[in-house]
Amino acid sequence: MSTGQHRPAVRPATGKDLADLQALARRTIDTCYRGFLGDKAVDRFIGSGASDAHVKTHLEQGEVHCLTQNNRIVGFSVLDGPTVDLMMIDPDHHRRGLGRLLLRHAEETLLARYPTVRLETFPENTRAVAFYEACGWTFGARLEGEGPAKAEYTKSHTTN
């Protein structure tokens, strides 16, 4: 890191972070999901307010963690039971090791409570799939249901 930059840190999110977290989620979805979900689906999802509502609900439940660098939120994770429910890194900060740092924090937090933890991603999100697999997550199943298919990945103490 260049001089003057602070090391990234993970901290619990607070109510004061809500607008920044929601904006980061919308920006990430807008930038990163169009290639595999399409413009219409992304515009509809962002416009529906579902992303904002999801972040707000989880923030109120207290399982949201911010990744900060230089006093700015550059990523966040949402933990729900044994699940990494959501993890996003600001698109302007991709490929800098921040996702790996945030995922490691989520893994350590959840594996302290559960023998096996899980996450879901879109199978067409090839960057995310490659990232999770490189971090030692194991493909579990393809989940079909309402909306686009998802891929479930798991990690346990034995695969940590």
Side-chain angles (χ1 to χ4, degrees):
M1 274 181 218
S2 63
T3 306
Q5 291 208 348
H6 298 94
R7 295 182 71 80
V10 181
R11 65 166 174 79
T14 69
K16 294 176 185 176
D17 298 319
L18 179 61
D20 289 338
L21 296 172
Q22 290 171 326
L24 190 152
R26 287 191 306 270
R27 192 168 53 255
T28 303
I29 293 165
D30 186 51
T31 302
C32 301
Y33 287 28
R34 290 185 182 280
F36 58 90
L37 289 179
D39 291 339
K40 187 176 178 181
V42 168
D43 291 341
R44 184 173 55 244
F45 184 70
I46 291 172
S48 74
S51 175
D52 286 353
H54 188 80
V55 172
K56 183 176 190 285
T57 298
H58 282 280
L59 185 60
E60 291 167 352
Q61 295 170 356
E63 281 289 349
V64 179
H65 301 270
C66 296
L67 177 64
T68 62
Q69 188 170 32
N70 298 324
N71 298 315
R72 182 170 169 252
I73 296 172
V74 295
F76 72 95
S77 64
V78 173
L79 308 180
D80 188 1
T83 303
V84 180
D85 179 76
L86 185 64
M87 194 179 102
M88 295 193 163
I89 299 294
D90 187 310
D92 292 339
H93 290 81
H94 281 190
R95 312 283 309 157
R96 297 182 188 176
L98 297 172
R100 194 172 288 269
L101 176 70
L102 185 59
L103 183 60
R104 188 175 312 119
H105 177 271
E107 291 169 5
E108 290 171 359
T109 300
L110 293 180
L111 286 169
R113 301 176 198 161
Y114 303 97
T116 301
V117 297
R118 63 182 297 279
L119 60 80
E120 295 175 6
T121 191
F122 297 105
E124 294 82 9
N125 189 349
T126 55
R127 287 180 66 186
V129 167
F131 170 72
Y132 294 129
E133 290 176 355
C135 290
W137 288 74
T138 304
F139 175 77
R142 185 175 171 97
L143 307 172
E144 304 282 348
E146 285 188 39
K150 296 216 176 136
E152 178 185 53
Y153 282 80
T154 61
K155 195 167 198 181
S156 64
H157 290 286
T158 58
T159 58
N160 194 1

